[in-house]
Amino acid sequence: MTALIMLDLSAAFDIIDHPMLLKRLEFSFGIEEKALTWVKSYLTDRTQCVSVMDKTYPDVDLPFGVPQGYVLRSKNYCMYAKLVGEIIKRHNIKNHYYADDTQVYIYLMPSGY
């Protein structure tokens, strides 16, 4: 028998904290110097605005998230969430990931077997 928990974070790509992502890229994955500076420059000073009909609203800073269309979007999320996988593995729990979807499962032995 198997117990399965499926985790699907809504808007997972939009909650990535930029400074935390950069720290994880550097310390967990060894990305440094020019490559880290390139990623930082891509994430820094991003804004968005909304236009509806004839009305355009002021720009809003985007201190979180990875931009849509960004080639490394899924990979950056996986690198950002790597710590969760390490915690799960530390408890000898099986898991599978696909971008922002996580499956956590354990095998259960019914009593008497």
Side-chain angles (χ1 to χ4, degrees), residues 8-63:
D8 184 8
L9 300 174
S10 60
F13 295 107
D14 298 330
I15 63 166
I16 294 176
D17 178 86
H18 295 167
M20 189 177 294
L21 172 61
L22 293 168
K23 285 180 187 176
R24 289 196 183 153
L25 291 175
E26 184 176 8
F27 296 111
S28 296
F29 297 96
I31 297 172
E32 54 189 20
E33 298 175 7
K34 287 184 181 182
L36 191 63
T37 301
W38 176 78
V39 173
K40 183 177 182 179
S41 73
Y42 194 74
L43 297 174
T44 304
D45 297 326
R46 298 192 70 84
T47 60
Q48 92 177 14
C49 72
V50 175
S51 294
V52 179
M53 307 280 257
D54 295 341
K55 176 93 170 137
T56 300
Y57 296 88
D59 285 356
V60 180
D61 290 331
L62 298 175

Side-chain angles (χ1 to χ4, degrees), residues 1 108-113:
M1 184 180 328
L108 302 172
M109 211 37 129
S111 61
Y113 285 95

